[in-house]
Amino acid sequence: MGGLARWGRTGRRRPQVREWGKARLTGRRRQPGNGRPAPLRAGAETQQRTEADRQRQTEAETRRRAGGRPRPGRTPPTSRRSPARPLTSRPARSRRPHTADAPHPPGGPQEAVRGHAPAGPQEAVRPQEPAGPQEPAGPQEPAGPQEPAGPQEPAGSQEPAGSRGRSPAPEPYPPAERPAPHRGFGRGRGARQGRRVGRMSQVVLVAGAGAVLAGAAVVFLPEGGAGLFGAGSTGVPAGHPAAPGAAARAATAVTAGAQAAPAELAALIKDREAWVRDHPGDEASWAVLGAAYAESGRRAADPAAYPKAEQALRRSLEAYPAAQGNVEAVLGMGALAQARGDFGAARQWGGKAVKLRPKHWRAQALLVDAYRGLGDQAAAGRALERLRKLHAGAAAMTRTAQVYRDKGWREDASAVAYDAVAKAATPTERAACLARLGDLAWERGEPAEALAQAEAALRLSPRHAPALAGRARALAALGRPGEAARDWAAALAARPDPAYALEAGELAQSLGREEEAQDRYDLLLDRSVEGMTQGADHALTLARYEADHGSPETAVRWLRAEWRRGHRSADVADALGWALLRAGEAQEALPYARRATEQGRRSALFSYHRGAIERALGRDGEARRHLAEALRTHPHFSPLHAPMARRALEALGEPSAEPPPR
């Protein structure tokens, strides 16, 4: 440029101009690059250089007068950022994203104006080698009345200047259903931030964070009040049908991670199915639908819902990948893996959710459940600490009680479980908390307390399957087997869980009802096989059945496979030790029985299994101690195994008064 005035985007003269003028007066100039002065050329060469500079100045002045560049100190005729809008009516300057689809003319890049038709003179494009003054482009005819200033359409929604001849980009939404515009479709840091803001501006949380899966499926509302569940106080665009009120309650009643009622959950599934048929690109609704499928399948013990849940969640991830921030679909996949019994996969999805959103409490809750299933109590405790810092609702209290139970802190677990009941947000969640409180009382050997808690839960939710199962156990322990059998039938009708079928069959077998017991065992096998074909893991329940009522060798094979998968909880260790004893491998069974009882959890069934293994190995003293501990913890822990424990303890007799031989 030599001594030409250099102009920035703001139209101000750069300080190099003054320095160049001072250098001309002193006969010195700055050497480009190093900032040190260099002497001017002398003689004819200097004269030629001066004439060339004067000619360039004259050409620059001519272009400025023709409209090429504004003079300093004067208002330019048009704005370079908006050729169609006078500068006096231009809004405050803001960062605009780069329009990737707009081609650059040969003379330099020209920014496309979005959302406005040309209504004034456009700025002439400066050529590379001007040969003389150029006339500015004449005013163009306006395409129509100009819309008032307001939100602009996203880049690509209008054909930019210079893109004639290209095929127009397909519209992602019909004009009536196009989402609210937002920025950030270009390149660079600002564009990436704009894309994130744009993604979240399309959907916002209902009531902050509506959840379905005990906090696993968040329901969104489009920006501007357009809701997923029909018209209301927020307002819905024309053409959006109003959804049933039960669906909205299922989505919004559990802002702290509470459970929705089964009928409301079914209404939510029906509503989202209808919505995604007409809006297949709505990744938020796919995530909600997938999480609702997973929760419905878990509650009803219906494995057929799991493939539908996975399909819906993967549709959400295809529309909005996890790498771009689709944390709701990631949490839904983790909850689905947990419902299927795949704790390793649940841990991986929970880790992804934590990376996407470290302060998301539901991600920590998912990790607590996954680590408990894997038998990693230390990791579960660390995840629980993070969860309690982020959330103080019933979901956090319930998981705290479960972790305390695994460590053997029975009184602390019961106290926290009472707090969870007080923090429950919905009747369904309160019933679930009461049922867990009854289970803790049952494990302590207090069937009357367990019965009271189960009945309180059933008053809130009469068909709550865990409460029905808890009442059936308590009634059997209190010597009311007929009522217990009735409650087991009701629990299986509400939720045909293979674990419930095993307990109901053992109760019928203890009462001498062989035909009824066989029907329960057949139901167990049928539901387990169906679940395994749909991706559910029922190996633990099947192994327990095979160890006592079928082939112990088959139980050992299944449980060894579970152990290799990393499922090393106290329940798997106890079941594997018992299956090895039943298969004639008592010596190999003892380490697994020790691991189950020494992790901290106080279980009468675990103590009985260890005592039976030690008795088979001739360790009468240890066997006597553990058998007595089992009956002391819970005298009626099982309708089949508690009488066996009494007979085994009686067979061992009292300990000898003589010291053992050295």
Side-chain angles (χ1 to χ4, degrees):
M1 294 290 294
L4 293 179
R6 300 180 182 178
W7 291 86
R9 291 189 176 183
T10 59
R12 297 179 181 177
R13 186 188 296 273
R14 293 186 178 178
Q16 288 88 337
V17 177
R18 292 192 295 272
E19 294 178 5
W20 172 243
K22 183 178 179 181
R24 288 179 63 85
L25 293 177
T26 57
R28 306 280 284 180
R29 69 180 178 88
R30 294 281 178 181
Q31 183 71 22
N34 56 17
R36 301 196 307 183
L40 293 174
R41 298 180 178 87
E45 184 178 4
T46 302
Q47 183 68 21
Q48 182 179 4
R49 178 76 176 181
T50 304
E51 292 295 336
D53 293 343
R54 188 178 294 110
Q55 182 180 0
R56 281 193 290 270
Q57 286 179 343
T58 303
E59 294 173 355
E61 183 68 20
T62 302
R63 284 193 298 272
R64 282 197 297 270
R65 292 179 179 178
R69 287 187 183 273
R71 289 184 182 181
R74 295 185 61 184
T75 303
T78 57
S79 169
R80 286 185 57 80
R81 286 204 175 268
S82 181
R85 186 195 299 269
L87 183 63
T88 56
S89 64
R90 187 180 64 182
R93 185 181 300 275
S94 61
R95 179 181 296 180
R96 285 180 177 270
H98 173 73
T99 306
D101 295 336
H104 300 315
Q110 184 174 0
E111 184 173 342
V113 181
R114 299 173 295 176
H116 297 282
Q122 278 193 317
E123 181 183 4
V125 180
R126 181 182 177 186
Q128 294 289 341
E129 294 294 336
Q134 270 191 332
E135 292 296 329
Q140 298 179 358
E141 292 295 329
Q146 188 172 350
E147 296 292 334
Q152 299 177 350
E153 292 293 329
S157 62
Q158 182 175 353
E159 182 179 357
S163 63
R164 294 180 180 179
R166 290 190 177 187
S167 298
E171 292 252 339
Y173 295 92
E177 300 175 1
R178 184 174 299 146
H182 56 273
R183 305 186 316 169
F185 284 85
R187 299 189 181 95
R189 179 181 177 184
R192 290 193 297 270
Q193 293 176 350
R195 279 193 292 268
R196 290 194 293 269
V197 173
R199 180 66 64 178
M200 288 306 298
S201 68
Q202 294 181 29
V203 287
V204 295
L205 301 179
V206 172
V212 177
L213 265 188
V218 175
V219 182
F220 298 88
L221 288 178
E223 186 179 19
L228 290 177
F229 304 101
S233 59
T234 58
V236 178
H240 287 210
R249 290 195 300 271
T252 60
V254 285
T255 57
Q259 296 183 11
E264 295 174 351
L265 187 61
L268 175 61
I269 291 175
K270 184 178 179 181
D271 178 78
R272 290 301 87 198
E273 287 176 341
W275 177 266
V276 296
R277 278 196 296 268
D278 298 331
H279 305 81
D282 188 354
E283 73 280 354
S285 291
W286 279 115
V288 170
L289 180 60
Y293 276 142
E295 177 67 0
S296 175
R298 184 191 68 82
R299 290 196 200 178
D302 181 14
Y306 296 152
K308 295 191 291 184
E310 183 174 2
Q311 182 181 5
L313 292 168
R314 294 201 179 277
R315 284 289 298 272
S316 178
L317 290 171
E318 290 174 2
Y320 184 23
Q324 298 181 11
N326 193 353
V327 67
E328 302 306 327
V330 170
L331 287 171
M333 291 295 292
L336 174 61
Q338 185 76 21
R340 282 174 161 171
D342 191 352
F343 306 115
R347 177 185 58 186
Q348 293 177 0
W349 286 110
K352 289 183 180 180
V354 170
K355 290 181 180 178
L356 291 174
R357 199 178 300 175
K359 300 297 184 180
H360 205 313
W361 70 266
R362 281 161 41 210
Q364 301 297 339
L366 179 60
L367 287 177
V368 172
D369 297 338
Y371 285 128
R372 288 186 63 245
L374 294 172
D376 192 344
Q377 291 191 12
R382 291 191 295 269
L384 179 64
E385 291 178 3
R386 296 190 295 268
L387 170 62
R388 298 190 67 177
K389 291 179 181 178
L390 299 173
H391 186 66
M397 294 294 99
T398 297
R399 287 168 174 83
T400 303
Q402 291 171 341
V403 171
Y404 287 175
R405 165 183 172 262
D406 294 341
K407 293 181 178 181
W409 305 345
R410 297 191 300 181
E411 292 76 11
D412 295 335
S414 298
V416 176
Y418 274 108
D419 295 339
V421 174
K423 288 180 176 291
T426 63
T428 302
E429 186 182 26
R430 186 178 180 87
C433 292
L434 287 168
R436 294 189 191 98
L437 192 59
D439 292 341
L440 292 175
W442 163 260
E443 290 185 353
R444 294 195 308 268
E446 301 174 3
E449 175 68 16
L451 178 61
Q453 300 298 341
E455 289 179 343
L458 290 171
R459 283 193 293 269
L460 294 171
S461 180
R463 289 180 53 82
H464 193 265
L468 287 169
R471 189 169 70 175
R473 297 188 194 99
L475 289 172
L478 293 172
R480 297 158 65 179
E483 298 175 63
R486 180 200 60 197
D487 278 346
W488 275 124
L492 288 171
R495 181 181 179 182
D497 192 336
Y500 291 175
L502 177 60
E503 292 189 69
E506 290 183 345
L507 174 63
Q509 184 176 350
S510 67
L511 297 174
R513 303 174 181 176
E514 297 296 335
E515 185 177 354
E516 181 182 348
Q518 190 59 46
D519 291 340
R520 302 303 186 205
Y521 296 149
D522 291 342
L523 176 63
L524 180 153
L525 295 174
D526 293 341
R527 300 296 294 181
S528 297
V529 171
E530 180 183 357
M532 295 177 74
T533 58
Q534 304 292 347
D537 184 6
H538 295 294
L540 180 60
T541 303
L542 280 171
R544 284 175 172 168
Y545 164 76
E546 292 290 345
D548 288 322
H549 312 286
S551 170
E553 292 78 10
T554 302
V556 169
R557 288 198 301 270
W558 282 342
L559 291 171
R560 286 191 187 278
E562 287 291 295
W563 197 264
R564 287 192 296 268
R565 292 179 60 193
H567 294 186
R568 300 183 179 183
S569 65
D571 292 287
V572 176
D574 170 73
L576 180 54
W578 181 248
L580 286 169
L581 171 66
R582 299 284 293 176
E585 302 290 341
Q587 190 65 42
E588 190 179 356
L590 185 59
Y592 293 103
R594 286 175 174 172
R595 176 162 181 160
T597 54
E598 292 175 0
Q599 285 189 7
R601 179 175 165 188
R602 299 179 65 180
S603 169
L605 182 64
F606 292 179
S607 298
Y608 162 64
H609 287 167
R610 179 172 177 177
I613 293 171
E614 290 167 341
R615 182 189 176 200
L617 293 174
R619 305 187 179 198
D620 293 347
E622 297 177 7
R624 187 181 295 106
R625 182 174 73 252
H626 287 106
L627 290 172
E629 180 182 349
L631 294 173
R632 185 170 56 252
T633 300
H634 196 325
H636 307 283
F637 64 89
S638 168
L640 276 183
H641 297 293
M644 294 180 182
R646 291 190 187 89
R647 290 194 293 269
L649 185 59
E650 292 174 0
L652 288 173
E654 295 295 330
S656 175
E658 298 180 359
R662 296 182 180 179

